Amino acid sequence: MISFPVNQHAIVIGGSITGLLTARVLSHHFEQVTLIERDPLLDRPEPRRGQPQTRHLHGLLTSGKQILERYFPDLIESLVAGGAVSVDMSQVTRWYILGDYRLQYPSGMMGILASRPFLEWQIRQRVTALANVTVLDRSRVESLIASADRSQIIGVKIRQHSIEQRSIEQRSIEQPQNDLEPNSIEPSPPARAAQKTLMADLVIDASGRNSPAPGWLAGLGYAKPPETVVTVGLGYATRIYRRRPHDLVGALSLITSPDLPHHQRGGIAFPIEGDRWIVTLAGWVNDQPPLDEAGFLAFAQSLPVPDIYHLIAQAEPLSEVIGYQFPASLRRHYERLNAFPAGYLVMGDAICSFDPIYGQGMSSAALQAALLDDLLHQSIAPTQLPRLFFRQAAKIIDTPWQLTISEDFRIPTTQGKKPLGTDLINAYGSLVQQATHHDPIVYGAFLQVMNLLAPPSRLFHPKIIWRVLKAKSEARFRSQT
Ligand SMILES: Cc1cc2nc3c(=O)[nH]c(=O)nc-3n(C[C@H](O)[C@H](O)[C@H](O)COP(=O)(O)OP(=O)(O)OC[C@H]3O[C@@H](n4cnc5c(N)ncnc54)[C@H](O)[C@@H]3O)c2cc1C
């Protein structure tokens, strides 16, 4: 086995949120970090081919925001200076769910509303400014390099596009796209690209949902991770509009949740930088919102309440409608593998790609990056790191995974292994949601769980159960009088 001086060089595959945050963490523990991204990384906020999802609305949960602030202390200030909107989400959101609006009250849980490319660009600027981080864009990792006995990953083989190839690719990403498959657009085959070998003592795979890690592992003689798939058939459609100061009265953002299982359509309108609205409509069971103007408006009008319709019917559109189809939530159980090579980890969407409607992917990635930081501070032996990381990452993923798939299983056509007790949890969950129409204590507990600041068990605290049942009897009383 080839051995390296410990913590000399780390490689991160993928320059999205997981990759950027991980590179930032590793820059404290390694002499050199190389971040490898197959897309061209432009010095401006721009959606990229490798991430069609970033054209759609992205909410950042409080847990994710707190971790970003920890690693990039001036980030939020800079986002706000650039036009992002910092708000107490429960205070400013007119949020319809299950028959009524949630209470609008100051929970103190602050959110930052910005487009995903703007957020990512702000983070990227800070990572590229780190003296010991090198970013190789337009470079695709093609395979891992393992030690002779295959017990350790010691590097990667990459293909770097030539200047000519880069300019073709750059032009093509500047064309508007309609992305109806997750990560469906692969960069064109590198006609003139150089192959290179990079050696490292830690390689992190942050290459997203379509990560090649399972195939690479199998090629080295390891088992592939077992997968859990929950098929939802979610259709997204997003359009940007001009925002005027008084578009809404008494609120700064709108959320209309679907009344599952009977009504399977929802939508969100968030203010973002540049005095714009980003409006995403969603339909379950392959009910893709139409991409033409009239169809998009009609879909908005068909939501349980027409708040978003009233907003966009008056607003000036600034973009086409862009579509996206999310077939299924996908979880890869690396924590269940008995053997895994040292010097290699898989993180972010490459481990778990959640139903996006609950906005948890970036925050789950941030929590995983913070976990890696903690483990590296403990100087754990390289052979032990994968086992410890995957076990603890699985605990991080458990909460958002349970929240999303429970909701998805409200729809009878959802396919996948339904965990025991889901219907009971959903019945109680509906009562919790209805209690948030009036009760700030229940709403606060729900927000803690939703923002990945507390486990779901917080909602089963006797005080919360009592308040939820009280809210139910008060609602019955109100409906009778
Ligand atoms: C429609 C939609 C809406 C979403 N909304 C939200 C939301 O509101 N809030 C939220 O928190 N999350 C949301 N998410 C999830 C969020 O986008 C991801 O969790 C987040 O981007 C982190 O993913 P990642 O960095 O692990 O992977 P990705 O963002 O998929 O990035 C992977 C990167 O790796 C690169 N790459 C891939 N293969 C290679 C290779 N071989 N070599 C080099 N580079 C490679 C890709 O080009 C890409 O840049 C949403 C997802 C979808 C699909």
Side-chain angles (χ1 to χ4, degrees):
M1 182 174 88
I2 301 172
S3 58
F4 287 84
V6 173
N7 291 357
Q8 197 181 52
H9 183 212
I11 287 174
V12 180
I13 309 171
S16 176
I17 294 290
T18 307
L20 289 168
L21 265 162
T22 304
R24 163 65 186 81
V25 160
L26 294 176
S27 72
H28 262 240
H29 300 277
F30 287 77
E31 283 175 27
Q32 284 297 322
V33 178
T34 305
L35 180 71
I36 305 172
E37 168 55 49
R38 66 185 177 188
D39 280 346
L41 296 176
L42 310 179
D43 190 17
R44 57 177 190 259
E46 202 84 63
R48 296 191 279 108
R49 296 162 61 109
Q51 323 168 280
Q53 80 266 27
T54 64
R55 292 173 179 270
H56 300 275
L57 181 142
H58 267 64
L60 178 65
L61 304 179
T62 311
S63 52
K65 176 172 170 276
Q66 287 174 352
I67 291 170
L68 284 173
E69 281 175 305
R70 185 193 312 167
Y71 291 121
F72 308 102
D74 64 338
L75 176 70
I76 302 299
E77 199 183 320
S78 175
L79 284 164
V80 172
V85 184
S86 173
V87 287
D88 185 322
M89 287 301 290
S90 58
Q91 189 169 26
V92 303
T93 306
R94 187 176 302 149
W95 187 339
Y96 171 89
I97 184 154
L98 291 182
D100 204 348
Y101 291 91
R102 293 195 205 275
L103 187 71
Q104 274 181 246
Y105 91 110
S107 65
M109 270 177 258
M110 301 299 288
I112 186 92
L113 303 178
S115 72
R116 168 61 197 265
F118 183 56
L119 173 67
E120 187 173 309
W121 175 63
Q122 289 274 343
I123 298 172
R124 190 163 69 235
Q125 284 176 307
R126 284 159 177 76
V127 173
T128 49
L130 295 168
N132 62 342
V133 175
T134 304
V135 178
L136 298 180
D137 68 342
R138 302 158 166 115
S139 304
R140 171 192 282 268
V141 175
E142 293 195 317
S143 59
L144 301 174
I145 303 171
S147 57
D149 66 358
R150 300 183 171 190
S151 66
Q152 187 177 348
I153 300 305
I154 56 170
V156 297
K157 282 192 182 149
I158 68 169
R159 198 171 279 277
Q160 263 186 321
H161 289 199
S162 66
I163 299 296
E164 294 81 0
Q165 182 67 26
R166 291 171 191 192
S167 63
I168 294 167
E169 200 166 278
Q170 181 131 349
R171 279 201 303 279
S172 68
I173 68 161
E174 285 163 359
Q175 306 295 321
Q177 300 165 8
N178 235 327
D179 307 311
L180 286 174
E181 288 297 328
N183 285 5
S184 62
I185 299 178
E186 296 285 310
S188 19
R192 299 176 62 188
Q195 210 183 32
K196 270 192 181 177
T197 295
L198 295 178
M199 308 306 274
D201 43 357
L202 179 61
V203 174
I204 304 282
D205 185 332
S207 67
R209 180 181 170 107
N210 294 337
S211 154
W216 285 343
L217 286 170
L220 292 171
Y222 290 91
K224 288 186 180 183
E227 292 185 349
T228 305
V229 180
V230 176
T231 304
V232 286
L234 183 66
Y236 255 48
T238 295
R239 195 170 203 189
I240 308 283
Y241 294 86
R242 190 177 307 287
R243 183 164 74 96
R244 295 161 306 179
H246 305 296
D247 275 342
L248 296 180
V249 178
L252 267 179
S253 59
L254 300 173
I255 303 181
T256 303
S257 294
D259 282 339
L260 298 176
H262 317 291
H263 196 288
Q264 301 166 355
R265 293 177 169 190
I268 305 182
F270 278 173
I272 56 169
E273 76 282 356
D275 293 324
R276 296 174 300 162
W277 291 107
I278 184 165
V279 176
T280 289
L281 304 180
W284 278 255
V285 199
N286 301 315
D287 181 19
Q288 170 72 42
L291 306 185
D292 63 287
E293 167 125 21
F296 190 75
L297 276 172
F299 194 98
Q301 202 169 16
S302 75
L303 300 186
V305 289
D307 296 347
I308 294 176
Y309 169 75
H310 289 315
L311 174 73
I312 62 176
Q314 306 297 327
E316 177 193 349
L318 298 176
S319 76
E320 298 301 306
V321 184
I322 304 283
Y324 189 96
Q325 282 171 4
F326 182 87
S329 295
L330 167 64
R331 185 169 178 180
R332 298 193 177 102
H333 296 278
Y334 286 99
E335 75 281 6
R336 293 189 194 157
L337 292 178
N338 291 325
F340 198 86
Y344 185 48
L345 292 177
V346 185
M347 295 176 64
D349 278 23
I351 305 187
C352 187
S353 154
F354 304 99
D355 178 341
I357 201 75
Y358 306 101
Q360 300 162 321
M362 297 189 294
S363 299
S364 167
L367 287 160
Q368 290 170 43
L371 164 66
L372 179 62
D373 198 8
D374 286 350
L375 292 174
L376 291 173
H377 273 296
Q378 293 170 36
S379 306
I380 285 160
T383 46
Q384 296 302 313
L385 186 65
R387 191 177 53 86
L388 287 173
F389 176 81
F390 288 129
R391 275 194 193 166
Q392 293 184 38
K395 289 187 186 140
I396 290 172
I397 291 166
D398 276 347
T399 295
W401 178 260
Q402 281 166 18
L403 291 174
T404 55
I405 66 159
S406 294
E407 283 298 312
D408 290 336
F409 277 117
R410 285 181 188 271
I411 302 172
T413 52
T414 297
Q415 288 165 24
K417 192 162 175 250
K418 185 167 162 181
L420 209 65
T422 300
D423 291 340
L424 206 61
I425 289 171
N426 280 342
Y428 177 67
S430 296
L431 296 181
V432 170
Q433 303 294 1
Q434 283 161 337
T436 66
H437 297 156
H438 300 284
D439 188 327
I441 307 283
V442 176
Y443 193 10
F446 168 75
L447 287 171
Q448 291 273 331
V449 175
M450 195 192 88
N451 282 287
L452 309 182
L453 298 168
S457 58
R458 173 71 55 91
L459 295 171
F460 294 89
H461 187 282
K463 183 174 92 175
I464 300 295
I465 295 178
W466 181 79
R467 295 189 78 99
V468 167
L469 296 177
K470 185 166 149 277
K472 184 183 177 215
S473 66
E474 285 170 358
R476 189 179 298 140
F477 179 74
R478 269 195 301 276
S479 69
Q480 286 164 356
T481 54

